[in-house]
């Protein structure tokens, strides 16, 4: 019988206080009732990480909605910003300084970019930090500060602050602390979930981005015509509350509650079929082998059910060293998907930050109704994320899935720009389809593909690579997200068609960058077909 070594108790590695209290209360009040602890903990993790990233995206949306009232045609409340800029109307009494000049669109573009550039740069460091600290603390503090900066943006109106520097600094700091979200939630979910139907699970779970966008849009639109400060204050307050809930209840690792063996036995799959070039792995297994570390601090049991290259390890997990940035970049597929995400996220975030204003300027709708209509794009995005995940699961060809959706989305962007404003029903229908095909590749790369690359077989089972790989892929994409809205703000003066030409070009480039991986997937598919025929 193996000797069990008691772990050294550390407060940062203890179960959350809220979980400890709930466990004690239920054991005393309901001692005869036995719960499936693993299932309950796993569901709580999925729910809390889902709600957390809903809040992250909810606090990114208000500025996109409020743009239409920060600068508008004051002689006509329903007039567009472009009328004020192009026809030289000098009545700026209803505008909010410093966004009351003819360069308002450029300044608003700089506001977006101050957030996104800081987000992109900080993302590369965020994953490295996340691998070395408690993810519960990492997420909780990130959410508290992100909520505070969102709140402070709206509070500027209450205190009559008109400094561009103040707004730029707030946006930059918000971008930095927003980077705590994605590496944290993806890593936590991957620790609790295996590879079985990963594309479908992540596709459904990734709907939090679109739900967050829609919730942020709805809240901001509710206040935009009456008091736009509340468009920021309410989401910021909600996010702060959610950060505190995470601190109390989020179990960031199965080891904290003794569930590491349950995770391993529930996820026996070891193949890396979607990313690797090889379908064959050596499996030399033995029955009940105990391996003791050289220091004698712990021992690990291996048997025929133990994953060879599992992303979730038992006690050995604590001896793994986080990989370096250079090592993560060298993982096959990381650079291709990172660069593809650069252009894919550029398109997605240009829609995120400029779509409400585009609808406002090209339709007779009010700012509130324009913001509400823009939510159709996010509804299509939810369907697109799930569809991309299912197709990737069934085909085992994530690169080909992304290229196929990008190929369709490029002409759809042209069709939407040409015919979307002809009728309300056309706008709704085309916006839904555009959202589906634009968001599909973006969601697949940032979730399922990132998770698999972070557990690639070349890592030899090192589970402390996931956050770093995720941050590299999402950080590269975030640079594109910073560039897109900035360019949109600059070229929009020449007409919205210039913005759509930029988006179509970006889609084509994203597609081209995956051609090499698509070729490998097709060869692999033909090889499998030949094996079946033989």
């Amino acid at each position: 019988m193996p000797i069990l070594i008691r772990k050294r108790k550390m407060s940062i590695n203890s179960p959350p206080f809220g979980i400890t209290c709930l466990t004690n209360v239920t054991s005393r009040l309901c001692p005869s009732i036995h719960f499936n602890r693993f299932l309950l903990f796993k569901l709580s993790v999925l729910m809390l990480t889902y709600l957390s990233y809903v809040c992250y995206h909810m606090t990114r949306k208000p500025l996109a909605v409020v743009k239409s009232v920060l600068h508008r045609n004051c002689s006509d409340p329903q007039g567009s910003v472009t009328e004020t800029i192009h026809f030289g109307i000098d009545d700026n009494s209803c505008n909010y300084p410093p966004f009351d000049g003819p360069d308002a669109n450029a300044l608003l573009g700089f506001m977006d970019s101050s957030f996104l550039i800081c987000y992109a740069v900080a993302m590369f460091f965020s994953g490295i930090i996340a691998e070395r600290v408690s993810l519960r603390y990492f997420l909780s503090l990130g959410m508290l500060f992100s909520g505070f900066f969102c709140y402070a943006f709206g509070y500027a109106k209450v205190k009559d602050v008109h400094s561009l520097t103040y707004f730029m600094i707030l946006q930059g700091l918000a971008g930095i602390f927003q980077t705590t979200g994605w590496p944290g939630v993806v890593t936590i979910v991957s620790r609790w979930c295996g590879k079985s139907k990963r594309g479908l699970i992540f596709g459904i779970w990734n709907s939090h981005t679109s739900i967050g966008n829609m919730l942020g849009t709805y809240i901001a639109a509710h206040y935009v015509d009456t008091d736009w400060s509340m468009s920021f204050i309410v989401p910021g307050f909600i996010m702060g509350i959610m950060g505190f809930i995470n601190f109390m209840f989020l179990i960031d690792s199965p080891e904290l509650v003794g569930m590491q063996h349950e995770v391993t036995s529930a996820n026996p799959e070891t193949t890396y079929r979607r990313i690797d070039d090889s379908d064959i792995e050596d499996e030399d297994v033995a029955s009940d082998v105990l391996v003791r570390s050289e220091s004698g601090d712990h021992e690990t049991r291996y048997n025929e059910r133990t994953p060879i290259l599992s992303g979730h390890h038992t006690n050995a997990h604590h001896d793994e060293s986080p990989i370096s940035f250079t090592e993560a970049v060298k993982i096959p597929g990381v650079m291709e998907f990172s660069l593809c995400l650069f252009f894919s996220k550029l398109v997605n975030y240009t829609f995120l930050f400029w779509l409400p204003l585009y609808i406002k300027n090209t339709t007779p709708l009010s700012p509130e109704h324009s913001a509400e209509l823009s939510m159709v794009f996010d509804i299509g995005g939810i369907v697109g994320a799930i569809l991309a995940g299912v197709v990737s699961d069934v085909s085992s060809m994530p690169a080909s899935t992304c290229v196929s959706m990008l190929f369709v989305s490029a002409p759809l962007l042209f069709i939407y720009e040409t015919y979307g404003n002809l009728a309300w029903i056309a706008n709704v229908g085309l916006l839904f389809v555009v959202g589906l095909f634009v968001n599909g590749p973006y969601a697949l790369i940032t979730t399922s593909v990132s998770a698999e690359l972070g557990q690639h077989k070349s890592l030899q089972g090192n589970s402390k690579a996931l956050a770093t790989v995720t941050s590299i892929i999402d950080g590269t994409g975030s640079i594109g997200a910073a560039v897109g809205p900035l360019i949109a703000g600059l070229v929009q003066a020449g007409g919205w068609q210039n913005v759509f030409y930029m988006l179509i070009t970006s889609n084509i480039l994203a597609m081209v960058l995956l051609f090499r991986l698509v070729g490998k997937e097709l060869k692999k598919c033909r090889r499998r077909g030949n094996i079946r025929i033989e």
Side-chain angles (χ1 to χ4, degrees), residues 381-402:
I382 295 174
V383 179
I386 297 173
L387 178 63
V390 171
V391 173
S392 179
D393 277 340
V394 173
S395 66
S396 302
M397 301 170 67
S400 301
T401 302
C402 291

Side-chain angles (χ1 to χ4, degrees), residues 59 79 100 150 203 260 340 416 477 507:
T59 54
D100 56 346
C150 183
Q260 61 269 31
C340 174
Y416 176 70
N507 252 350

Side-chain angles (χ1 to χ4, degrees), residues 96 151-162 166-167 228:
Y96 191 85
Y151 182 98
F153 196 107
Y155 197 65
K157 182 176 183 293
V158 178
K159 291 298 182 180
D160 205 29
V161 177
H162 299 281
Y166 172 84
F167 292 116
W228 64 258

Side-chain angles (χ1 to χ4, degrees), residues 205-403:
W205 179 77
N206 190 64
S207 64
H208 51 42
T209 59
S210 297
I211 296 295
N213 290 340
M214 289 189 289
L215 184 59
T217 299
Y218 178 80
I219 294 174
H222 182 73
Y223 295 106
V224 67
D225 286 324
T226 54
D227 182 4
W228 64 258
S229 66
M230 298 300 293
S231 298
F232 293 91
I233 291 174
V234 173
F237 180 77
I238 295 174
M239 187 169 192
I241 295 297
M242 191 63 215
F244 177 75
I245 293 174
N246 275 341
F247 180 77
M248 294 294 293
F249 296 101
L250 181 61
I251 308 170
D252 60 10
S253 176
E255 287 84 354
L256 296 180
V257 288
M259 293 285 116
Q260 61 269 31
H261 295 290
E262 284 78 359
V263 172
T264 302
S265 61
N267 303 300
E269 292 189 1
T270 61
T271 58
Y272 291 80
R273 58 185 177 80
R274 297 183 214 151
I275 305 299
D276 296 342
D277 297 329
S278 175
D279 293 326
I280 303 173
E281 293 180 346
D282 296 328
E283 297 189 7
D284 297 325
V285 297
S287 176
D288 291 332
V289 177
L290 286 176
V291 179
R292 183 182 293 275
S293 67
E294 294 180 0
S295 62
D297 291 337
H298 69 268
E299 54 187 10
T300 306
R301 180 185 298 274
Y302 295 95
N303 56 42
E304 67 274 11
R305 298 183 66 188
T306 304
I308 298 173
L309 296 177
S310 171
H312 311 285
H313 293 280
T314 56
N315 295 334
H317 169 81
H318 299 287
D319 286 344
E320 296 169 357
S321 299
I323 67 172
S324 66
F325 180 89
T326 305
E327 291 172 326
V329 170
K330 291 180 180 179
I331 296 173
V334 167
M335 285 307 301
E336 286 92 340
F337 280 110
S338 296
L339 294 174
C340 174
L341 189 63
F342 174 94
F343 293 103
S344 180
K345 200 167 183 178
L346 181 153
V347 176
N348 192 281
Y349 268 65
T350 301
F351 270 94
L352 176 69
F353 283 93
W354 286 96
L355 183 57
L357 184 60
Y358 169 75
I359 296 174
K360 168 69 173 59
N361 286 358
T362 57
T363 66
L365 297 176
S366 66
E368 179 180 357
H369 292 151
S370 298
E372 291 172 350
L373 178 58
S374 70
M375 290 192 289
V376 176
F377 177 83
D378 295 302
I379 297 173
I382 295 174
V383 179
I386 297 173
L387 178 63
V390 171
V391 173
S392 179
D393 277 340
V394 173
S395 66
S396 302
M397 301 170 67
S400 301
T401 302
C402 291
V403 167

